[in-house]
Amino acid sequence: MKKKKMIVFAVLWLVCLGLAACYTKDTAWMFEGEALTTILTTQQEAQRMEAAAQAKLDTAQQEARALQAAGEWKGSGTVEEAFLPAVADGLNLMWGAYCAEVEYESEEPFELNIVSPGRQSFVKGETLSVQAGAGRVVVPFDVTDAAAHIRVASSRTEAVRAITVRREMPYRDNIAYGVFLAGVLSVLYALKSDSSQRGRERRQGALVVLCTAAFASLPVLLHGLYGNMDHDLFFHLNRIEGIASGLRAGQFPVRIHASTMLGYGYAAPIFYPEVFLYIPAVLRNLGVSLAGSVRIFEMLINLAVAAVCYMSTNALMHNRRSAAGATVLYTLCIYRLATLYTRAALGESLAMIFFPLMILAMAEVLTRDERRWPLLALAMTGVCMSHLLSTLFCAGLCALAAICVLPRLIKEPCRILAILKAAGVTVLCVLFFYVPMLSYTAAGVNASVALNASKNALQPGSFLMGFSGRNNLPEDFAYTIGVVPGLAILVGCGLFAVRRYTAGHAEKDDGPSLFLLVAGGALLLAATDLFPWEFLCGLPSPYSTLFMQIQFPWRLAGMAAPLLCIAAARGYDRPTGMALLLALTLVFSGYTLQSVVQDTPILMQDGFCDTRVPQNEYTYAGTEKAALRPGEIRAASGEQVVVEGYEKRGTNLSFALNAQDGRYIEVPLLYYPGYRAEIDGRPCTTERGENGLLRIYGGPGGQTVQVSVQFVPPALWRVSEAASLLGVGLLVWTLLRRKRV
């Protein structure tokens, strides 16, 4: 029997990977005839476009200096051409190795080279001299960072007959999809072999989880990556690219996104937890496209949400029907779908995986078996490593729940000890993130995201909207995220309340469901303008800061959703009720998913994603991002110096230069504490220079010197990393020990 299983597993994997390999094709773009004008240009025109791009940057830098002199800070606003198709006014390419195959026929020798106006420093390739005659030549080039409007420049364009640009490594998206499918099928087959009652129940649960996650993943299974530029997708894509870039440079953990901001670096990892984003980042480095990596990641999120909700609800209610109902309601909750797809808020979507587990853990620690406190540590660690605001919400919810059962906690101090154990292990696990964040905040790096929360509260009427709206105006934002949290959930809660009232007595498990219903309703109320947000945000500073950091009170709907889903599942806890649940959920969530995919995908497999994120957070005040010039090194006098042997690997730079004014130089890196520089092997002083750049002192003028720069995390950060490793080990040990007991 064991041998048969191994054969079946092997066949499954071979079939899935074989089909994926058959459909994996070379990534190539062909140009001939009239299409040549898209990719081919003269060397004179290439020089003109480069001059125009540099002139635009000169103007931006002059504006930045004027703002700095006036003590103002405009920021960078929106990013033009954030997403581009691969072929549009030239080639728009992500990092990788490429080659241009040029077919020619010429009576005279000519030259070929690869150009990218304004981003020439990101394109590494030599000028190729071609002899007279006819044939085909290959022009290899590397793109080290996202580069737009790439062209082949020729001294004799009339000699070129056709150009084919190839990516040396084809995108391996289909291989990744094949691995994902083979893994799911393997789990299903492994569950099939258990013929016991427990095995049948596990298979039923697995099918509920899989079918629900598959329906939630329908937008991912289409042509590309859907999203909205007005929300968070662009920011999170650059986080993934930044991690991938750091890993390729040998950095771990990645503290500065070396590829973001045109290679100037961005300290997003210091202020935004990124543990789970290493999954799509690793896929990127394995050859999967950016769009493909995120699509697989979103499928994993949907699968994890369904699995955690099912297991947590089943453990909480001891009722598989209720667990199935809550799983369908929560996984297909319109607020959650809008968070994942419309808003593309990956951090909040990750945190929502752990909300049902947190509810179970709180119930265990506060009212049941306090020895299961490791579940609370696991849930809170997961939330902390996903989204900071969700961490704040969860901590507040835990505190309120503890207050509700305070008399019991006083009578049973062992529960207080369990809470302290969970808190201690959680703190250990997350130290590696919070220690750097606090140190950079103390150093003056701007991390404020305060907004007037009263301007972003929901109206009660938004709870009754039956579909996802299309408006993007701030005052209508409640309707752009559709039903809050969803009519299927609200109907289920109503059915539960009616049944509870008409029965006249409490049925088994009605007590926890009733508590969850009341708690979820209170959170929905707090998300509306009926809650005194305007008063709280109008308090004197610093009291108002806490409430303004919440930014959008409607985010409380995400916390209310799992509470209400579990309560609503009790309302549908009849065969006819389950049919009604499925009908309502599929109709409303299906409409929401359809509204996501009715537009053109924002990013395709071979599409382009810029690196100039528009957010003003995580830099020093006064940094004008629009004034950053790719690869620019300037001396104290403002002169642009000629460098030799320039090499950038992650956050590390090395080059040789000769500057007449040797007081200091400014290199293409944004300043953050931790950078160290050497000139001819001697340590140099570094500080924040003009427009937030890294300034290096100590170079002699008029001599050629060797400069090297690297980012070195402080010793305290390394200590916090060791403490977090200890905390993770302790958490795993307690979970395994509790499972054995």
Side-chain angles (χ1 to χ4, degrees):
M1 182 63 69
K2 186 175 180 181
K3 183 177 180 181
K4 180 182 177 182
K5 286 184 181 180
M6 296 300 296
I7 293 174
V8 173
F9 282 135
V11 170
L12 274 177
W13 281 84
L14 286 175
V15 170
C16 291
L17 295 179
L19 288 173
C22 290
Y23 285 97
T24 298
K25 300 179 180 179
D26 290 342
T27 306
W29 302 272
M30 301 180 65
F31 306 89
E32 57 183 355
E34 294 182 0
L36 269 176
T37 57
T38 304
I39 188 70
L40 183 64
T41 187
T42 65
Q43 292 183 335
Q44 293 80 5
E45 179 64 15
Q47 293 172 359
R48 186 197 65 78
M49 290 188 293
E50 177 67 22
Q54 297 301 329
K56 184 178 180 180
L57 281 171
D58 288 338
T59 301
Q61 289 184 336
Q62 292 172 6
E63 292 176 353
R65 294 189 185 99
L67 287 171
Q68 189 176 32
E72 299 177 1
W73 183 25
K74 184 178 67 174
S76 59
T78 58
V79 178
E80 299 177 2
E81 301 181 325
F83 297 103
L84 292 171
V87 181
D89 193 18
L91 277 175
N92 307 296
L93 304 177
M94 302 297 287
W95 59 269
Y98 300 84
C99 66
E101 299 176 359
V102 181
E103 296 182 17
Y104 68 95
E105 184 176 349
S106 176
E107 296 178 354
E108 299 179 12
F110 63 98
E111 293 182 343
L112 296 169
N113 63 298
I114 309 299
V115 297
S116 176
R119 302 197 183 191
Q120 192 63 47
S121 61
F122 297 155
V123 179
K124 306 299 183 184
E126 302 293 335
T127 299
L128 181 66
S129 298
V130 183
Q131 300 298 318
R136 174 182 297 187
V137 294
V138 176
V139 185
F141 63 97
D142 291 330
V143 177
T144 60
D145 202 347
H149 310 305
I150 295 174
R151 292 175 172 84
V152 177
S154 173
S155 58
R156 286 180 56 84
T157 56
E158 66 275 11
V160 178
R161 298 290 177 261
I163 298 176
T164 301
V165 178
R166 300 184 186 278
R167 193 175 189 271
E168 290 191 2
M169 178 189 293
Y171 284 118
R172 296 172 176 170
D173 294 18
N174 288 340
I175 301 295
Y177 300 146
V179 170
F180 185 85
L181 178 61
V184 171
L185 294 177
S186 296
V187 172
L188 291 178
Y189 180 75
L191 292 174
K192 177 181 178 298
S193 61
D194 188 352
S195 59
S196 66
Q197 176 64 25
R198 185 179 183 184
R200 288 192 293 271
E201 291 175 349
R202 284 182 172 180
R203 286 195 295 275
Q204 292 170 0
L207 286 177
V208 169
V209 168
L210 182 60
C211 292
T212 307
F215 190 83
S217 301
L218 287 179
V220 180
L221 301 176
L222 295 178
H223 302 296
L225 184 63
Y226 293 87
N228 192 317
M229 184 58 189
D230 294 332
H231 298 301
D232 295 346
L233 179 62
F234 184 44
F235 173 67
H236 291 301
L237 291 179
N238 269 289
R239 293 173 66 202
I240 294 169
E241 283 293 274
I243 298 172
S245 174
L247 292 177
R248 291 196 304 275
Q251 300 170 3
F252 185 82
V254 178
R255 295 298 191 178
I256 303 291
H257 287 162
S259 63
T260 311
M261 300 307 305
L262 299 174
Y264 277 75
Y266 195 50
I270 303 296
F271 298 95
Y272 208 129
E274 296 188 338
V275 168
F276 299 108
L277 290 188
Y278 278 76
I279 296 173
V282 169
L283 289 176
R284 284 290 285 136
N285 288 340
L286 291 176
V288 182
S289 70
L290 179 58
S293 299
V294 177
R295 292 166 73 185
I296 293 172
F297 189 53
E298 289 178 342
M299 284 192 286
L300 287 172
I301 289 176
N302 287 329
L303 191 59
V305 166
V308 171
C309 186
Y310 183 87
M311 291 186 290
S312 299
T313 306
N314 186 45
L316 180 67
M317 308 301 293
H318 304 292
N319 186 319
R320 292 188 178 274
R321 182 180 294 172
S322 294
T327 299
V328 173
L329 287 171
Y330 185 55
T331 307
L332 301 181
C333 168
I334 293 179
Y335 178 85
R336 197 195 73 82
L337 295 176
T339 298
L340 182 61
Y341 295 125
T342 304
R343 293 174 50 220
L346 293 184
E348 190 173 348
S349 297
L350 286 166
M352 293 185 77
I353 295 173
F354 301 95
F355 289 172
L357 179 61
M358 188 195 66
I359 295 171
L360 168 65
M362 285 194 300
E364 293 287 351
V365 172
L366 297 179
T367 64
R368 295 181 176 180
D369 185 359
E370 74 282 355
R371 293 174 298 175
R372 303 192 72 183
W373 62 264
L375 292 179
L376 182 57
L378 176 63
M380 285 304 300
T381 299
V383 174
C384 289
M385 290 296 95
S386 302
H387 190 238
L388 291 182
L389 276 179
S390 294
T391 302
L392 177 64
F393 292 156
C394 287
L397 188 62
C398 289
L400 290 175
I403 292 173
C404 290
V405 296
L406 186 59
R408 184 167 187 172
L409 292 181
I410 295 175
K411 292 180 181 179
E412 302 177 24
C414 59
R415 299 190 182 276
I416 298 178
L417 179 60
I419 295 172
L420 294 176
K421 289 179 181 178
V425 172
T426 301
V427 169
L428 274 179
C429 289
V430 302
L431 269 181
F432 81 99
F433 170 75
Y434 283 94
V435 167
M437 184 184 73
L438 293 174
S439 67
Y440 265 24
T441 301
V445 180
N446 175 53
S448 175
V449 289
L451 294 174
N452 190 338
S454 64
K455 303 297 183 182
N456 299 295
L458 292 173
Q459 297 178 9
S462 64
F463 296 153
L464 302 179
M465 294 292 292
F467 52 86
S468 177
R470 300 294 300 163
N471 295 327
N472 286 320
L473 299 176
E475 60 269 24
D476 293 330
F477 192 77
Y479 303 100
T480 70
I481 60 175
V483 184
V484 184
L487 282 184
I489 298 174
L490 298 182
V491 169
C493 291
L495 290 174
F496 169 66
V498 169
R499 180 178 61 77
R500 176 73 175 80
Y501 175 77
T502 56
H505 64 277
E507 296 182 3
K508 183 181 179 181
D509 294 331
D510 271 2
S513 298
L514 188 61
F515 178 83
L516 296 177
L517 176 62
V518 173
L523 285 172
L524 281 187
L525 179 67
T528 70
D529 52 11
L530 298 178
F531 193 78
W533 289 108
E534 187 171 356
F535 169 76
L536 294 173
C537 293
L539 292 173
S541 181
Y543 304 107
S544 62
T545 303
L546 174 64
F547 300 100
M548 296 181 72
Q549 291 286 342
I550 291 175
Q551 303 172 323
F552 306 108
W554 43 256
R555 277 180 167 148
L556 290 171
M559 288 296 304
L563 301 169
L564 296 177
C565 285
I566 297 173
R570 292 287 293 166
Y572 292 114
D573 195 14
R574 299 289 187 275
T576 54
M578 293 301 291
L580 177 62
L581 179 151
L582 287 173
L584 289 174
T585 303
L586 293 179
V587 168
F588 291 124
S589 61
Y591 191 97
T592 300
L593 294 174
Q594 187 274 335
S595 71
V596 171
V597 302
Q598 67 184 18
D599 293 331
T600 303
I602 198 168
L603 184 65
M604 300 295 288
Q605 174 178 284
D606 54 1
F608 166 89
C609 178
D610 207 333
T611 63
R612 297 172 295 174
V613 294
Q615 282 81 2
N616 289 328
E617 306 99 291
Y618 316 149
T619 61
Y620 282 95
T623 302
E624 294 293 341
K625 299 177 182 178
L628 301 177
R629 190 190 304 264
E632 180 183 48
I633 299 175
R634 300 179 69 90
S637 60
E639 63 174 306
Q640 293 189 4
V641 298
V642 178
V643 302
E644 296 179 356
Y646 180 86
E647 182 179 355
K648 183 176 188 293
R649 182 173 174 80
T651 52
N652 296 343
L653 294 180
S654 63
F655 54 88
L657 66 81
N658 188 318
Q660 294 302 316
D661 189 341
R663 289 175 294 166
Y664 65 80
I665 57 172
E666 291 178 342
V667 298
L669 291 171
L670 290 180
Y671 171 80
Y672 292 106
Y675 276 111
R676 295 182 183 177
E678 294 182 351
I679 294 181
D680 286 339
R682 300 189 308 274
C684 301
T685 301
T686 60
E687 68 175 30
R688 178 161 53 100
E690 181 180 333
N691 199 30
L693 299 184
L694 176 63
R695 178 176 291 180
I696 303 172
Y697 290 90
Q703 299 181 25
T704 299
V705 294
Q706 186 68 35
V707 182
S708 63
V709 182
Q710 60 179 334
F711 183 81
V712 181
L716 183 60
W717 294 15
R718 294 303 189 190
V719 172
S720 68
E721 291 168 9
S724 291
L725 285 176
L726 175 64
V728 171
L730 182 60
L731 177 58
V732 172
W733 178 75
T734 53
L735 288 169
L736 294 177
R737 180 172 177 269
R738 177 60 190 166
K739 185 176 180 180
R740 287 195 297 268
V741 174

